[in-house]
Amino acid sequence: MKIRTPRLTITRFNLDMAQIVYGNSQDDDTRRFVPDEVYDSAEEAREAIEFLMSRYDSADGPFVYPVLTNGGKNIGYVQLCRLDDGKWEIGYHIAKDFTGKGFATEAVKAFLPVIAQNQNLKEVYGICLAENLASIRVLEKCGFRQIYKGLGNYQGQEAQIIKAIRKNYN
């Protein structure tokens, strides 16, 4: 997969990205909002990348793709993951130095139609902490409609979450 937008390229991981993935995982927002994606070393990030690369040709995913600026700088990722109930969830994270510039919205808008078509999906969910206002705005800008706000499981813990849905891809 290679998706280009005016400012970004969404592509497959390669093992050369381990150091930057490790570095991107160290920011405060990653620790706060996606703690299971914080790596203790570049080697640990490399192992995660190896696993993610092995999933590209599977039916189950997760399907995680790095987001690069068109200058080649790795600034985060977009992903599609299967939920426990068999439904699918969009995920995304942009490194703190690049937030507030519309990169997450641009990446999700480009990625979602392509991955939904590839997986023949009619709907995709977005789930985030209720306090993550930036992520909520990204979902809204990308056509998601909030369907739940309250207590729910997030990263293995009970927390205030929002759940949103976007339908009608095909």
Side-chain angles (χ1 to χ4, degrees), residues 24-87:
N24 286 348
S25 82
Q26 299 303 299
D27 72 48
D28 293 338
D29 285 347
T30 304
R31 292 180 187 283
R32 182 174 170 198
F33 297 122
V34 282
D36 65 331
E37 296 170 10
V38 174
Y39 303 110
D40 291 330
S41 65
E43 180 57 33
E44 188 177 340
R46 185 180 187 283
E47 291 169 7
I49 290 169
E50 284 178 329
F51 169 74
L52 295 172
M53 289 170 57
S54 77
R55 306 309 299 158
Y56 286 139
D57 295 321
S58 76
D60 304 320
F63 304 107
V64 184
Y65 297 87
V67 174
L68 312 176
T69 64
N70 282 337
K73 178 124 179 103
N74 184 320
I75 63 169
Y77 65 84
V78 288
Q79 66 183 0
L80 183 75
C81 298
R82 191 180 295 269
L83 297 168
D84 291 339
D85 60 7
K87 297 176 181 171

Side-chain angles (χ1 to χ4, degrees), residues 76-129:
Y77 65 84
V78 288
Q79 66 183 0
L80 183 75
C81 298
R82 191 180 295 269
L83 297 168
D84 291 339
D85 60 7
K87 297 176 181 171
W88 291 90
E89 174 190 13
I90 186 78
Y92 44 89
H93 184 73
I94 300 297
K96 190 161 184 85
D97 288 346
F98 298 91
T99 59
K101 297 175 173 86
F103 289 126
T105 300
E106 187 174 331
V108 171
K109 280 183 175 180
F111 176 72
L112 206 48
V114 173
I115 197 72
Q117 182 178 20
N118 286 353
Q119 297 302 310
N120 196 30
L121 301 179
K122 304 287 186 225
E123 61 186 26
V124 174
Y125 290 84
I127 302 167
C128 64
L129 290 172

